[in-house]
Structures are given as structure tokens and as C-alpha cells.
Amino acid sequence: MLDWMRHRQLHGPPPHGVGDGVDPAELEGHLHGARSRILDAFELALQAREPQLGLMDHAARVAMVAGRIAASMGIGDGDRYILNTAAQLHEMGMLSLPADLIERRGTLSPQELQWVRGQARVSADIARAAYHPRIALLIENQYRDHTELRRDGLSERDLVLAGIFRVADVFATVTWPRPYQAAMSAPTRSHLLQSGAGTRFDPLAVHAALSAL
């Protein structure tokens, strides 16, 4: 399905007059509806496969945390939409992992953790094909440190959003337990974020998170 969507992005619709005479605003409305249905379909697939893991609950929490951080930092509606969609989509790649890995209880080995984190590439492919490259950019960089992202030369706008998204994902992960990771206490969580501010995490996003949450 992803190959088909990429083909549509590169080559456009079939050349048989499809869409002739259609109002552009109406067509965009249909496309937006199609994207929403794609997201709904992936959510249902995740819930049906692994209902006990709460993957979509985690995605909703990341979206909530990112929204509060963004609001505290004065981020505009358009970029907040980018953040919210990235949060909702960032676990979709879990569908590509073997069930025994994502059902594993307790701490994962470093190699297993890398496999789990590798699902971000699949999630980013979904976002790039069905939504927007900027959404994919946030997802595929969700595990990378702030200093790494700065070296990569991201635009200042995307660097800010990537910083918010990373802090939101970490905050949600350590605040609500996951099968392979226990929740942290509030002081431990604050120390984790503050000690990494400026290196692992965007310091402005850390300050906003600790102030707004």
C-alpha cells in the first residue's frame, strides 16, 4: 500500500480525466478525509493486534503533552497540527515488529530496544506517504539527541518542533508505564529532563514541559 501511495505522490492521479471539473477545495476536503480514514485504519489494526499494550493510549498522551508544551511556547496552529499528527502516527510502525518482541515484559536488551526504535522508520514512511514530509521528519528523528539534530542543519522551525516532540515522547513514556519500562517518579522525571537539557533535549522544550505539566 505504501508503494502505491508513493507512486501517487510522484506521478499524480491516473490520466483519464479523473478530477476534471472538480473544485480544488472540494478535492482537498476529500483528500483530508481519506488521510483521516487511513489513520483510523492503522489505529484499528494496532488495537486489534495488541490491545493490551495501549499503543494508541501512548500516542494520545504524547499528542496531549506535545500540545501543552507547544501552547506554552506560543507555537501556531499549523505547527501544532504537525505535532499532533506526528504524535498520533509515531507508533504505527509497531505493526512491523514481531509480536513476541513488543509483548516482552521487563527491560529490553540494547539490541531489542534498537529493533523497537527502528519502527520509527516505518511510521515515518506512513506519514510521508499519507500526510506531509514535515510530519515524517519529526517521527524519524524522535530518538535523536538535540545536539545531533542541530548538526544536521534542520530549519529553526523544524528543530523547535523536533525538540518538542522528543521531550513529549520521553515525558509520556516515563510518566505512564510501558510493558518494558516502569514509570518514573516526578522528581526522577524532572532530573532526567533537566540533566539532558541542551544535549539530549531542547532546553526550551524542557522548561516548557516542566512549567506546563
Side-chain angles (χ1 to χ4, degrees), residues 65-149:
V65 173
R68 291 190 182 178
I69 295 173
S72 176
M73 293 176 64
I75 303 298
D77 290 344
D79 283 343
R80 285 163 69 179
Y81 169 81
I82 295 286
L83 278 168
N84 182 69
T85 307
Q88 292 185 63
L89 288 170
H90 84 285
E91 293 276 68
M92 296 299 173
M94 289 291 189
L95 287 168
S96 68
L97 297 178
D100 66 322
L101 178 60
I102 57 179
E103 290 174 358
R104 189 82 48 82
R105 301 289 168 172
T107 303
L108 298 179
S109 70
Q111 184 178 23
E112 289 170 335
L113 188 58
Q114 283 300 109
W115 286 342
V116 170
R117 289 182 170 182
Q119 65 83 26
R121 291 190 296 272
V122 179
S123 299
D125 281 345
I126 294 169
R128 187 175 290 106
Y131 286 83
H132 193 278
R134 291 184 68 210
I135 295 171
L137 181 71
L138 296 187
I139 295 173
E140 63 194 3
N141 286 301
Q142 65 183 283
Y143 299 117
R144 302 189 64 212
D145 289 349
H146 180 62
T147 50
E148 292 180 300
L149 294 177

Side-chain angles (χ1 to χ4, degrees):
M1 184 177 70
L2 289 179
D3 288 340
W4 177 84
M5 287 191 289
R6 291 194 191 98
H7 177 85
R8 294 277 292 185
Q9 284 184 318
L10 290 172
H11 303 289
H16 296 296
V18 177
D20 287 352
V22 176
D23 178 70
E26 181 182 355
L27 180 59
E28 180 57 33
H30 284 300
L31 290 173
H32 181 75
R35 292 179 184 122
S36 295
R37 288 190 291 276
I38 289 170
L39 177 57
D40 290 343
F42 275 107
E43 286 180 346
L44 288 172
L46 276 177
Q47 289 170 347
R49 183 187 175 195
E50 310 296 344
Q52 75 277 20
L53 296 183
L55 297 174
M56 299 317 301
D57 289 340
H58 171 70
R61 289 167 182 147
V62 175
M64 179 271 291
V65 173
R68 291 190 182 178
I69 295 173
S72 176
M73 293 176 64
I75 303 298
D77 290 344
D79 283 343
R80 285 163 69 179
Y81 169 81
I82 295 286
L83 278 168
N84 182 69
T85 307
Q88 292 185 63
L89 288 170
H90 84 285
E91 293 276 68
M92 296 299 173
M94 289 291 189
L95 287 168
S96 68
L97 297 178
D100 66 322
L101 178 60
I102 57 179
E103 290 174 358
R104 189 82 48 82
R105 301 289 168 172
T107 303
L108 298 179
S109 70
Q111 184 178 23
E112 289 170 335
L113 188 58
Q114 283 300 109
W115 286 342
V116 170
R117 289 182 170 182
Q119 65 83 26
R121 291 190 296 272
V122 179
S123 299
D125 281 345
I126 294 169
R128 187 175 290 106
Y131 286 83
H132 193 278
R134 291 184 68 210
I135 295 171
L137 181 71
L138 296 187
I139 295 173
E140 63 194 3
N141 286 301
Q142 65 183 283
Y143 299 117
R144 302 189 64 212
D145 289 349
H146 180 62
T147 50
E148 292 180 300
L149 294 177
R150 291 198 71 88
R151 284 198 302 268
D152 280 355
L154 270 65
S155 71
E156 198 61 34
R157 186 177 179 187
D158 285 333
L159 187 62
V160 169
L161 294 188
I164 294 172
F165 186 67
R166 177 156 165 73
V167 168
D169 188 35
V170 170
F171 186 98
T173 298
V174 302
T175 301
W176 293 275
R178 308 206 72 181
Y180 48 85
Q181 183 168 308
M184 290 182 178
S185 66
T188 303
R189 179 180 64 222
S190 296
H191 175 73
L192 171 71
L193 294 175
Q194 288 174 330
S195 63
T199 53
R200 294 182 62 195
F201 309 118
D202 183 324
L204 295 179
V206 168
H207 176 75
L210 296 179
S211 300
L213 296 163

